[in-house]
């Protein structure tokens, strides 16, 4: 044994030195240190070693195992270093890296976030509702009669089930009042759908931001002040904002809001950006009926509502002439906003 162990060690170290890849290195390890390896078998012979030699032989065994294990680890590292060197051959690692194209937010996201930010500072919180709606939430509860043109098959996407793609985010007003109680101050940004002919100013999917404020003593000046402030924050304090009387079934009185667009070299013109008004008592009555309570008693609470087109706001902000650019994912267009 005393000769055998050093011989195994010497042979193993020689084979390790010769090993040209990890695979042959592993073969050496298994052949020497594995279950049936030469050193393992030699160790099994310990029991036949005379008592007085056991300590010395044991030490030899340990030394051999340590030396061989270290040899394998060392060689493994050397092989790895060699492989790394090979992989980098012909590559100049001092060359500057290729620049990664950074992403950016879509203009619609930018304008939406900005609008939400302004309204949140005024105390509005976010609400949401489904895009697949029913006629009740999209029309009936909003005081919109059966024969209203918006309910026409020609204008609205209906499913066979009778459900529809919401034509405006105003349905979220109803969804909110069904579960919350006054005071309510919410905004709901989201998609709306109409069967419009697609052109430079119309898409069949567009984006709105709805607002609803219901409490005691909410008045028309509150509505005007809030929205004027909003558009001044968004487009600049010098921007002219006007409220033009209009009709919506769910508000009374109702208005359309225009902002005055002044582009250098062009005559200023008014552009419609939102609809708004004081919540019609008929809407509150419908809510009370559904809730089976009187929390929205029109004698006690009043409210205002508004809905604006986010696509339109983005177009105004950046002078975008064709709304289709907002959905075409053309990087040449989008990277201006990154
Ligand atoms: N829902 C209307 C539309 O899509 C916009 C609107 C008008 C929303 C008046 C309102 C409102 O909340 O009070 O044209």
């Amino acid at each position: 044994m005393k000769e055998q162990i050093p011989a195994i060690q010497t042979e193993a170290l020689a084979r390790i030195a010769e090993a040209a890849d990890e695979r042959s290195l592993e073969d050496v390890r298994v052949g020497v240190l594995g279950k049936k390896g030469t050193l393992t078998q030699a160790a099994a012979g310990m029991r036949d070693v005379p008592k007085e030699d056991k300590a010395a032989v044991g030490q030899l065994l340990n030394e051999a195992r340590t030396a061989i294990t270290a040899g394998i680890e060392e060689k493994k590292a050397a092989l790895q270093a060699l492989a790394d060197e090979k992989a980098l051959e012909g590559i100049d690692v001092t060359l500057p890296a290729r620049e990664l194209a950074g992403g950016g937010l879509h203009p619609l996201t930018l304008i939406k976030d900005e609008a939400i930010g302004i309204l949140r500072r005024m105390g509005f919180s976010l609400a949401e509702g489904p895009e697949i709606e029913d006629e009740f939430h999209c029309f009936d509860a909003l005081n919109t009669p059966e024969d209203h043109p918006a309910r026409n098959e020609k204008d609205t996407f209906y499913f066979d089930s009778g459900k529809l793609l919401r034509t405006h985010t105003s349905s979220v007003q109803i969804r909110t009042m069904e579960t919350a109680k006054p005071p309510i101050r919410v905004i709901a940004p989201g998609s709306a759908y109409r069967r419009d002919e697609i052109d430079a100013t119309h898409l069949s999917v567009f984006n709105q931001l709805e607002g609803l404020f219901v409490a005691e003593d909410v008045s028309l000046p509150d509505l005007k002040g809030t929205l004027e402030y909003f558009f001044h924050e968004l487009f600049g304090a010098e921007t002219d904002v006007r409220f033009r009387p209009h009709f919506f079934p769910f508000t009374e009185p109702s208005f359309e809001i225009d902002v005055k667009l002044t582009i250098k070299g062009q005559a200023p013109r008014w552009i419609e950006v939102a609809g708004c008004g004081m919540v019609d008592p008929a809407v509150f009555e419908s809510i009370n009926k559904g809730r089976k309570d009187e929390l929205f008693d029109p004698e006690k609470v009043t409210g205002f509502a508004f809905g604006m087109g986010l696509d339109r706001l983005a177009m105004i902000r950046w002078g975008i002439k064709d709304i289709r650019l907002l959905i075409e994912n053309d990087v040449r267009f989008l990277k201006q906003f990154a």
Side-chain angles (χ1 to χ4, degrees):
M1 279 274 261
K2 279 193 191 147
E3 294 87 54
Q4 200 194 347
I5 294 169
I8 291 175
Q9 178 174 343
T10 313
E11 200 213 321
L13 292 178
R15 284 180 62 200
I16 290 170
E18 266 166 35
D21 51 38
E22 284 212 35
R23 183 117 190 213
S24 29
L25 195 60
E26 177 64 7
D27 287 345
V28 179
R29 193 189 64 76
V30 173
V32 180
L33 303 174
K35 252 193 213 146
K36 291 186 185 142
T38 45
L39 195 69
T40 315
Q41 265 166 4
M46 266 298 263
R47 60 181 113 81
D48 303 326
V49 174
K51 226 182 188 164
E52 61 275 21
D53 287 345
K54 267 198 167 52
V57 172
Q59 196 182 345
L60 276 180
L61 265 176
N62 276 341
E63 277 169 11
R65 194 176 291 119
T66 310
I68 295 168
T69 310
I72 290 174
E73 285 310 313
E74 228 169 81
K75 183 69 187 229
K76 210 185 245 177
L79 285 173
Q80 186 59 53
L82 210 65
D84 288 350
E85 211 171 285
K86 259 225 173 106
L88 288 175
E89 226 167 51
I91 296 177
D92 182 351
V93 291
T94 65
L95 279 177
R98 221 172 279 148
E99 209 176 313
L100 278 182
L105 292 178
H106 191 278
L108 267 175
T109 307
L110 293 172
I111 204 87
K112 181 178 77 179
D113 287 352
E114 207 178 313
I116 291 174
I118 298 168
L119 289 156
R120 283 183 77 120
R121 289 200 289 282
M122 285 193 272
F124 287 86
S125 53
L126 285 167
E128 54 179 12
E131 292 178 16
I132 297 177
E133 259 301 0
D134 48 43
E135 291 199 70
F136 177 76
H137 291 89
C138 202
F139 299 126
D140 298 311
L142 285 161
N143 197 33
T144 309
E146 279 302 335
D147 57 357
H148 192 278
R151 301 183 68 152
N152 202 301
E153 291 251 353
K154 246 178 52 242
D155 295 315
T156 302
F157 293 105
Y158 284 94
F159 294 94
D160 290 342
S161 63
K163 289 214 170 184
L164 50 86
L165 290 177
R166 69 180 179 198
T167 57
H168 52 184
T169 44
S170 302
S171 51
V172 185
Q173 290 185 35
I174 304 302
R175 295 264 169 205
T176 304
M177 287 188 280
E178 278 175 342
T179 51
K181 45 186 182 186
I184 288 174
R185 202 166 0 174
V186 291
I187 46 173
S191 305
Y193 304 81
R194 286 181 203 169
R195 291 182 77 151
D196 276 333
E197 201 71 56
I198 294 173
D199 61 25
T201 52
H202 294 88
L203 289 173
S204 44
V205 189
F206 55 103
N207 298 276
Q208 290 192 324
L209 187 144
E210 192 77 16
L212 175 69
F213 183 13
V214 181
E216 280 173 29
D217 296 327
V218 178
S219 65
L220 188 54
D222 295 326
L223 163 63
K224 282 194 77 176
T226 302
L227 290 172
E228 247 165 29
Y229 174 82
F230 172 81
F231 286 111
H232 284 159
E233 283 290 290
L234 195 68
F235 292 130
E238 67 293 343
T239 309
D240 286 326
V241 179
R242 78 176 177 196
F243 289 71
R244 195 166 27 79
H246 195 75
F247 173 80
F248 295 104
F250 35 91
T251 41
E252 179 59 32
S254 305
F255 306 88
E256 277 190 334
I257 305 175
D258 303 329
V259 297
K260 199 180 203 170
L261 193 61
T262 17
I263 299 175
K264 257 193 232 129
Q266 285 182 22
R269 63 201 159 98
W270 291 101
I271 297 201
E272 178 216 324
V273 286
C276 64
M278 301 304 294
V279 178
D280 194 305
V283 173
F284 288 144
E285 301 287 11
S286 153
I287 294 290
N288 288 333
K289 212 166 123 197
R291 295 180 58 111
K292 300 191 176 63
D293 61 29
E294 289 294 320
L295 278 176
F296 291 86
D297 180 352
E299 298 295 323
K300 296 211 180 89
V301 294
T302 47
F304 69 71
F306 56 89
M308 54 185 90
L310 288 172
D311 312 76
R312 182 71 66 88
L313 298 184
M315 291 171 79
I316 294 174
R317 160 63 66 82
W318 291 292
I320 299 166
K321 297 225 172 58
D322 192 324
I323 194 172
R324 288 168 289 199
L325 285 166
L326 292 175
I327 58 162
E328 279 169 354
N329 280 341
D330 186 332
V331 178
R332 290 166 302 178
F333 167 73
L334 292 176
K335 72 177 172 198
Q336 304 172 74
F337 306 93

